[in-house]
Amino acid sequence: MSMKIAHPSRRRWLQQQAAHAGLMALAASAPRALAQHPAAASAADGAAPTAARLWYRRPADEWTQALPVGNGRLAAMVFGGIHTERLQLNECSFFSGGPYDTTNPRAREGLPQVRELVFAGRYAEAEKLANETLLGQPARQMAYQPLAELLMVFPGLENARSYERSLDLDEALASTCFQTGGTTHVREVYVSAPDQLIVVRLAGDKPRAVSLDLTLTAPHGQRQGSEGGHTIWVAGMSPTLEGIEGRLRFECRLQALTRGGKLVVRDGGLQIQGADEAWLLIAGATGYRRFDDVSGDPVAANRTALAAAVSRGPDALRQAHREAHQALFRRVSIDLGQGPNGHLPTDERIARFAEGQDPGLAALYVHYGRYLLMSSSRPGTRFPANLQGIWNEKVNPSWGSKWTININTEMNYWPAELTHLGETVEPLIAMVEDLAVTGAKVARSMYDAPGWVAFHNTDAWRVAAPTDGAKWGLWPMGGVWLVNTLWQSWLFRRDEALLRRLYPLLKGAAEFQLATLVKDARSGFMVTNPSNSPENSHPFGSSVVAGPAMDNQLLRDLFAHAAEAAAQLRIDRPFARACLAMREQLPPDRIGAAGQLQEWQDDWDLQAPELQHRHVSHLYALYPSDQITPEDTPALAAAARNVMERRGDDTTGWGIGWRINLWARLKAGDHAYSTLQRLLHPRRSYPNLFDAHPPFQIDGNFGGAAGICEMLLQSHRGRIELLPALPTAWPQGRVAGLRARGGFEVALSWAAGEVQEVRVQAHAGGSTDLRWPGGQLRLKLAAGETVRLARRDGQLQRARQMT
């Protein structure tokens, strides 16, 4: 029996069809025209951003050609097939295994012995003993899993003409359009945040044009079924991995709605026959409640979501999705100019970016980064963007597609506050709150210490103990970098409620470090031991070491942030004093004999096995921190530049993303741009613009998007800098909606490399130094106040004050 939605009025239906037919005629006659949007006026005006669209002339053959849609919890990869269409589906909490604890019972006993070996310079022995006594059991963590897959087969659809598939970032809509047999077919897919559903719309410009067979399968599906003649489902359990029993239930459920035609349940699937239009509503859920609770009912959750959606109807679903998405997406606009290659399909633009004739692709990359962050990290879940955001087709994905917290997770959030997407940080805060619980247990059992600790990786079950191997995992600073990342949200927003939420996390991380730092007898400084400089080996057969530069830089920030938070909240004065006192006992940054910023306390850099290692961990102080700047610490900035030149820019995708930001902080705009050219190249960007490590890691997308913005706007140390690293490739442009630390929002335009106009709005109220090439101005603004400067007589001059 077919389940039909009510007809709209005849007049409204004819209007919709006429508009639809006009769009289809445009697609048939000039597909390229659909890739061109009118220039955006301003994000503040609620206009669609310029050319925020990916498009292609053929279906995807591989997963890294498919187009991603998501709402932070549910996601799909859309292939855009003609006769056969595939949607690969994900749900953010679906991981292998179930709640588990990896704490090694030998850790308390082994720790002092490992420390002694490190201080004695017997590093390889220390690493061996650490592998035996300090690593978690099991040493490997659980992996993110694909949820399900929808396969749609359309009998008789072959030899398509005027084919185009696209991803409209402003609409958060993946579309496929083509003609065959005299009929224009349109397929659309989006993932609604308000209604927590994946929605597929199938339509044609002729009556009864929609006929297909569809099946729903899952890699771990153990049961399948149908209900009511319009619904199919697949359900099962997470897989067992490394001896950790699969205990997480899941279900994926699809309900079909049609206008006209017939619905038939057949062979475990559904068949739609001769419909004018059809909608597929897909719900997915697991039993995950918290890292230690899998008692949720995914079946009930899916039934509730579908029932609510059916009662509202497709038009209301689409409108709610659009409004919720655009409320965030349209906050920012960016225009770097258009070039002759801007009209090409996206994959061709990537292949030709090095020609220098497509500045708009860099702007698209920013839009895409913001879109991906919105799609993979939204309030309402405890799952921040993982190594692949939220998209994964493999049961054994690279590095488990979980959270590597020695750079990758933090990099995912570099563009969040800067590009006006502070809401996306909420799941990261939630995960760190969980880690503070599991990490407190590790701190007690392993170190007999207060506070909490997390090492270099974690998963859905919030494992906080060392993992993988001492060479990579024996780094007790993962939690520190996470809370330093969250501190940035306070700096951008100046929201006291947020600070009160973050303070226990900062305090717990600092308490652990205060209790576990040990004195280095050679130098007299307080250092971490054992630790490593993330994933990089020193010249003595190991990576295990005491007090690497990055640890000291992270701790300088942590202790300063914890003390400042206590002062802002007017609490815990003795604790704040202890933090600041310990900060003074940390080893300083050192410059080696070759003029480089040292990665370790000793000058080992030029003897290290990998002189061009992908990690540049000891440059944390330059970016994302502000401990090193060309203006305030010129010698250290020069030493950091020395490291950059020696390491080189030709590295992994995410490594290139980090380097763009570092060159931007060094005010080397043209070098930052040449590094961006490496990122926007087929070697480092897949056809769908996913970052290629390789394989796919999403942190490169986020790092690259942040780096482009850092070239245009920087804010730290009480100042806002306009066009600090503008490359000659972008002589004119404009950007609006970017945020600056201190609670400010900035819009600016430039021509011939000079700022033409700037608007600064204070959301929190406060003072800042506004700087631009050739000038500066001290601003003091009340909350809600805006100042505007415009170029007159060759100078930027202040216009009237606005509120």
Side-chain angles (χ1 to χ4, degrees):
M1 177 179 178
S2 173
M3 181 174 184
K4 301 181 181 180
I5 63 168
H7 274 278
S9 70
R10 180 64 178 168
R11 179 180 179 184
R12 181 181 174 197
W13 172 246
L14 290 172
Q15 290 172 338
Q16 290 175 336
Q17 289 297 90
H20 178 69
L23 179 62
M24 293 308 101
L26 179 62
S29 61
R32 292 180 182 178
L34 294 177
Q36 311 206 4
H37 290 242
S42 166
D45 300 327
T50 304
R53 186 172 180 271
L54 287 69
W55 73 281
Y56 307 84
R57 292 190 173 111
R58 54 170 294 165
D61 296 319
E62 301 173 354
W63 191 82
T64 49
Q65 297 173 357
L67 296 172
V69 289
N71 69 357
R73 189 182 72 83
L74 291 169
M77 293 292 283
V78 184
F79 284 70
I82 300 169
H83 174 267
T84 302
E85 171 63 301
R86 174 189 175 199
L87 267 62
Q88 185 267 309
L89 311 177
N90 287 103
E91 199 275 350
C92 67
S93 67
F94 191 44
F95 272 70
S96 56
Y100 72 119
D101 177 14
T102 69
T103 307
N104 193 323
R106 299 180 59 191
R108 184 89 62 90
E109 168 194 345
L111 180 63
Q113 300 174 51
V114 172
R115 279 178 169 165
E116 289 179 12
L117 290 169
V118 170
F119 278 140
R122 296 159 62 183
Y123 303 108
E125 295 176 59
E127 183 173 312
K128 181 176 183 296
L129 183 61
N131 281 326
E132 295 170 355
T133 63
L134 303 185
L135 284 190
Q137 297 178 322
R140 183 184 174 195
Q141 294 178 351
M142 301 298 102
Y144 185 46
Q145 297 295 303
L147 180 74
E149 189 161 303
L150 172 63
L151 192 67
M152 294 175 276
V153 178
F154 299 83
L157 293 192
E158 306 285 355
N159 303 317
R161 296 180 294 108
S162 302
Y163 176 91
E164 182 178 305
R165 66 185 175 99
S166 64
L167 177 62
D168 186 325
L169 305 180
D170 182 59
E171 292 277 335
L173 184 75
S175 302
T176 304
C177 175
F178 58 89
Q179 291 181 337
T180 181
T183 300
T184 298
H185 296 268
V186 177
R187 300 169 190 164
E188 298 174 331
V189 185
Y190 66 89
V191 189
S192 168
D195 292 284
Q196 289 298 307
L197 292 171
I198 300 169
V199 180
V200 181
R201 173 179 172 263
L202 310 169
D205 65 348
K206 301 287 179 61
R208 299 180 295 281
V210 180
S211 295
L212 69 151
D213 294 289
L214 56 91
T215 56
L216 192 62
T217 60
H220 307 297
Q222 295 146 342
R223 301 179 307 281
Q224 289 180 285
S226 62
E227 293 179 10
H230 49 65
T231 298
I232 55 176
W233 55 265
V234 60
M237 190 77 70
S238 61
T240 295
L241 183 65
E242 297 291 318
I244 305 302
E245 180 186 0
R247 295 172 50 198
L248 183 62
R249 292 185 299 155
F250 79 90
E251 189 205 54
C252 187
R253 178 172 290 250
L254 180 152
Q255 184 166 345
L257 311 176
T258 65
R259 186 175 62 79
K262 185 179 182 181
L263 269 172
V264 178
V265 175
R266 178 176 294 180
D267 299 329
L270 278 178
Q271 186 177 81
I272 297 175
Q273 302 172 352
D276 296 330
E277 197 168 9
W279 294 265
L280 312 177
L281 309 182
I282 306 167
T286 75
Y288 192 101
R289 291 184 181 273
R290 206 177 81 141
F291 64 87
D292 55 358
D293 183 355
V294 292
S295 64
D297 184 347
V299 177
N302 288 341
R303 284 175 170 162
T304 298
L306 287 170
V310 171
S311 69
R312 297 181 61 212
D315 288 347
L317 296 179
R318 177 71 169 270
Q319 183 65 18
H321 160 71
R322 179 187 294 112
E323 291 175 356
H325 174 77
Q326 291 178 348
L328 300 181
F329 189 76
R330 289 190 173 184
R331 290 174 178 172
V332 167
S333 65
I334 178 171
D335 182 357
L336 300 176
Q338 299 298 317
N341 290 349
H343 71 283
L344 297 172
T346 306
D347 50 348
E348 296 181 36
R349 295 177 73 180
I350 296 168
R352 299 175 64 173
F353 184 69
E355 295 175 2
Q357 301 186 76
D358 193 2
L361 186 59
L364 177 64
Y365 203 80
V366 173
H367 288 313
Y368 191 53
R370 296 183 71 247
Y371 167 86
L372 292 174
L373 189 55
M374 292 173 57
S375 300
S376 59
S377 185
R378 293 286 277 272
T381 81
R382 306 188 75 80
F383 289 84
N386 63 42
L387 271 174
Q388 297 184 168
I390 192 174
W391 300 276
N392 169 45
E393 69 168 342
K394 298 178 180 178
V395 297
N396 185 24
S398 301
W399 304 287
S401 189
K402 48 188 189 298
W403 295 274
T404 301
I405 55 179
N406 67 8
I407 172 63
N408 312 95
T409 303
E410 291 85 358
M411 183 182 285
N412 284 357
Y413 289 87
W414 287 352
E417 299 289 349
L418 175 61
T419 69
H420 214 327
L421 291 176
E423 293 89 341
T424 65
V425 181
E426 169 61 30
L428 183 65
I429 299 174
M431 184 179 81
V432 177
E433 288 171 335
D434 289 347
L435 280 172
V437 177
T438 58
K441 182 175 181 180
V442 174
R444 290 191 303 270
S445 62
M446 186 171 176
Y447 290 85
D448 192 23
W452 67 277
V453 62
F455 288 77
H456 93 300
N457 249 318
T458 193
D459 60 12
W461 315 110
R462 305 309 185 231
V463 171
T467 187
D468 293 335
K471 177 179 179 179
W472 307 277
L474 200 61
W475 189 66
M477 306 300 293
V480 175
W481 199 349
L482 287 172
V483 295
N484 284 346
T485 299
L486 298 181
W487 177 257
Q488 297 302 312
S489 291
W490 153 252
L491 293 181
F492 275 95
R493 297 187 222 172
R494 294 289 175 175
D495 177 355
E496 185 170 310
L498 173 65
L499 186 62
R500 290 188 180 279
R501 184 177 177 187
L502 297 183
Y503 182 69
L505 304 176
L506 285 160
K507 183 177 181 181
E511 284 177 329
F512 171 81
Q513 299 295 336
L514 288 171
T516 58
L517 291 173
V518 291
K519 181 173 285 190
D520 179 358
R522 287 192 306 143
S523 66
F525 290 112
M526 300 297 288
V527 297
T528 53
N529 183 9
S531 187
N532 61 55
S533 189
E535 303 190 30
N536 196 14
S537 296
H538 52 66
F540 300 97
S542 174
S543 68
V544 176
V545 74
M550 186 190 203
D551 288 15
N552 306 320
Q553 296 167 0
L554 284 164
L555 289 171
R556 277 195 287 275
D557 274 354
L558 172 67
F559 291 141
H561 299 161
E564 182 179 342
Q568 289 282 342
L569 297 173
R570 298 175 294 281
I571 56 176
D572 288 344
R573 288 184 179 179
F575 166 72
R577 286 196 294 268
C579 287
L580 295 178
M582 183 63 81
R583 190 176 189 270
E584 295 303 312
Q585 300 179 62
L586 298 170
D589 285 318
R590 292 184 171 94
I591 299 175
Q596 89 287 1
L597 192 71
Q598 288 182 193
E599 186 162 1
W600 298 277
Q601 285 200 75
D602 294 290
D603 192 357
W604 295 339
D605 299 57
L606 270 63
Q607 289 78 49
E610 294 184 64
L611 294 180
Q612 294 182 314
H613 197 267
R614 62 194 177 278
H615 285 258
V616 283
S617 302
H618 52 312
L619 301 190
Y620 164 88
L622 176 63
Y623 183 92
S625 183
D626 62 358
Q627 294 174 35
I628 296 175
T629 70
E631 300 87 353
D632 305 303
T633 59
L636 291 175
R641 185 183 187 108
N642 181 298
V643 173
M644 294 285 289
E645 291 169 345
R646 291 178 181 277
R647 287 286 170 94
D649 300 323
D650 190 12
T651 183
T652 59
W654 68 262
I656 293 174
W658 193 353
R659 283 160 173 78
I660 295 169
N661 287 275
L662 291 164
W663 285 118
R665 283 289 177 93
L666 289 171
K667 312 300 173 64
D670 284 336
H671 200 138
Y673 179 79
S674 70
T675 309
L676 175 64
Q677 287 181 307
R678 294 181 183 274
L679 187 64
L680 288 174
H681 184 279
R683 291 183 63 237
R684 291 292 178 256
S685 289
Y686 290 111
N688 64 0
L689 267 182
F690 272 174
D691 171 67
H693 179 288
F696 165 51
Q697 279 189 201
I698 205 167
D699 38 23
N701 288 102
F702 296 137
I708 293 167
C709 295
E710 284 284 326
M711 295 159 75
L712 305 177
L713 178 74
Q714 294 178 21
S715 60
H716 41 259
R717 295 199 172 201
R719 56 186 180 250
I720 298 173
E721 300 179 56
L722 310 178
L723 307 183
L726 183 71
T728 55
W730 303 335
Q732 61 274 329
R734 59 182 177 175
V735 64
L738 295 184
R739 301 296 293 268
R741 291 170 180 85
F744 300 97
E745 182 175 334
V746 179
L748 72 147
S749 63
W750 65 95
E754 291 188 333
V755 177
Q756 300 299 306
E757 184 176 348
V758 58
R759 288 182 292 121
V760 179
Q761 181 182 7
H763 289 277
S767 299
T768 189
D769 284 328
L770 182 67
R771 300 185 180 186
W772 60 92
Q776 65 181 63
L777 177 68
R778 182 68 177 173
L779 296 180
K780 185 175 182 179
L781 301 176
E785 193 174 4
T786 298
V787 65
R788 175 177 169 268
L789 285 76
R791 185 166 293 276
R792 293 198 302 273
D793 302 323
Q795 299 291 328
L796 274 185
Q797 299 182 26
R798 190 165 181 164
R800 64 183 180 87
Q801 201 84 342
M802 297 179 287
T803 58

